[in-house]
Amino acid sequence: MPLLICPNCQTGMNEVQRNGVLIDICPKCRGVWLDGGEMEKLLGQVRQYEQEYEAELERYRKQYAPPPTHHRNPYDTDDDEYYKRHGKKKSKLGRLFDLFD
């Protein structure tokens, strides 16, 4: 006889062990019931996996990071610097008056 009845469909729940934690699962609606402390155990395992993943990702980034480049990106310059090199862009009307110069 099951220890818990599913509050959703009133079916007896099965106790299953996942990652060292006993949880109750409804075979009919697949609902999950966590007793006190089970959520903390599962979240602790998730945090541990996240820390391991972040450490491995950092090691990978250090090992395979592209070498630093010293090239200037022309799109990162200020507008003032662009106008100093290329002059201010003239409007169509301004170009029309250049005919008379």
Side-chain angles (χ1 to χ4, degrees):
M1 176 158 167
L3 295 175
L4 289 177
I5 302 295
C6 178
N8 188 34
C9 64
Q10 305 304 317
T11 305
M13 298 180 81
N14 298 333
E15 194 171 56
V16 180
Q17 185 171 3
R18 295 279 190 252
N19 297 330
V21 179
L22 290 174
I23 58 176
D24 298 303
I25 298 177
C26 176
K28 187 174 179 184
C29 71
R30 306 300 293 170
V32 176
W33 182 269
L34 298 173
D35 295 330
E38 291 175 348
M39 177 67 91
E40 288 78 19
K41 289 178 186 177
L42 291 173
L43 288 176
Q45 292 175 4
V46 169
R47 285 187 206 103
Q48 179 184 353
Y49 292 137
E50 285 177 343
Q51 290 172 352
E52 291 171 3
Y53 172 79
E54 291 295 328
E56 185 176 338
L57 183 61
E58 189 63 31
R59 284 192 303 270
Y60 176 82
R61 285 181 178 158
K62 286 181 181 179
Q63 183 178 1
Y64 296 107
T69 60
H70 300 289
H71 302 283
R72 279 190 85 186
N73 187 348
Y75 299 109
D76 289 341
T77 59
D78 289 335
D79 289 339
D80 294 338
E81 188 177 323
Y82 175 82
Y83 290 129
K84 286 178 188 174
R85 286 187 278 133
H86 299 286
K88 187 172 182 178
K89 186 176 179 181
K90 294 184 178 181
S91 67
K92 291 180 182 179
L93 186 61
R95 283 190 227 143
L96 177 66
F97 287 113
D98 283 343
L99 294 174
F100 302 110
D101 286 336

